[in-house]
Amino acid sequence: MQNGEKRGRDFIAYEYKEVTADPGWVSFFIDGYENFGWKVDENVRQDYPEPAAPGAVRKKNVIRLKRDRKIINKTELTRLQRNFEACVEEIGHLEKEKTSLPTIAAVSVGIAGTAFMAASTFAVTASPPHIVLCVILAVPGFLGWILPYFLYRKGVRRQTRKLAPMIEEKYDEICEICEKGSKLLN
């Protein structure tokens, strides 16, 4: 160095964070965390595979972030970040809730149908065979095997209608939190 010149840039100490996300949420998380001073760490290779086909096992993506340790308003940004993470977690729970109740109802009806079919089978294999009882028990058995599909679809639609306003409310809350964080950075 000559005459007090500096080579390169000033020293910056970073703190690091890893966030695990479903493939469809990677962009959402990157955009959200930027409002709290986090940036994607360019020094680490980020692999974001394409979302898996329906029914395939979905791998979680790891997002590696960094931010300046001496960032202004760090305490308030951290508090807002925790609120952001809590809202995202609540959205995840609400999304799962869309299918959990319908799944329970469909499985319960399917099990009841299977019980009727088992009773029908025992009725026909008894000695002497009770054919009439077998037919009477087979009808609810078949219905118990057919209805779960329709029950599930109707239940998911109903839960989606019921939970959509709450999910939208959480997204609005996330937008407000991110806006506050962004204002603190500027």
Side-chain angles (χ1 to χ4, degrees):
M1 290 196 297
Q2 292 178 335
N3 302 331
E5 290 179 27
K6 291 184 181 180
R7 280 197 286 160
R9 57 185 181 168
D10 293 331
F11 173 76
I12 300 174
Y14 291 104
E15 61 181 319
Y16 299 91
K17 180 175 187 66
E18 285 187 355
V19 178
T20 306
D22 286 327
W25 286 76
V26 171
S27 183
F28 179 79
F29 275 112
I30 291 172
D31 293 342
Y33 278 105
E34 283 180 356
N35 294 300
F36 309 113
W38 295 98
K39 294 184 178 9
V40 175
D41 190 356
E42 308 89 29
N43 299 324
V44 180
R45 186 171 159 227
Q46 306 278 347
D47 288 328
Y48 307 125
E50 293 296 316
V57 176
R58 302 180 93 186
K59 290 186 178 179
K60 299 267 187 174
N61 295 331
V62 177
I63 307 166
R64 291 169 183 84
L65 305 166
K66 67 179 182 179
R67 78 172 170 190
D68 187 350
R69 281 187 168 285
K70 296 180 181 177
I71 195 166
I72 300 171
N73 299 319
K74 184 176 179 180
T75 309
E76 182 63 18
L77 286 169
T78 303
R79 186 188 67 77
L80 288 170
Q81 177 185 320
R82 285 191 186 123
N83 288 344
F84 168 79
E85 291 167 347
C87 287
V88 169
E89 194 172 311
E90 286 179 43
I91 288 173
H93 288 301
L94 289 171
E95 289 291 342
K96 286 180 184 175
E97 198 175 315
K98 284 182 184 178
T99 57
S100 62
L101 216 59
T103 300
I104 291 169
V107 168
S108 299
V109 170
I111 290 172
T114 302
F116 275 104
M117 287 305 280
S120 173
T121 303
F122 290 135
V124 82
T125 58
S127 78
H130 303 296
I131 302 297
V132 175
L133 182 60
C134 171
V135 171
I136 292 172
L137 293 173
V139 171
F142 282 119
L143 287 175
W145 285 353
I146 296 169
L147 287 180
Y149 172 76
F150 300 105
L151 262 173
Y152 176 79
R153 288 190 46 189
K154 184 179 179 183
V156 168
R157 281 194 302 269
R158 185 176 55 243
Q159 287 291 92
T160 300
R161 274 193 311 272
K162 178 180 151 189
L163 297 174
M166 288 187 260
I167 292 171
E168 195 59 37
E169 193 177 292
K170 284 294 165 190
Y171 278 117
D172 292 342
E173 188 176 338
I174 285 174
C175 286
E176 290 173 16
I177 291 168
C178 288
E179 188 176 346
K180 288 177 187 176
S182 181
K183 285 179 182 176
L184 286 174
L185 288 174
N186 298 329

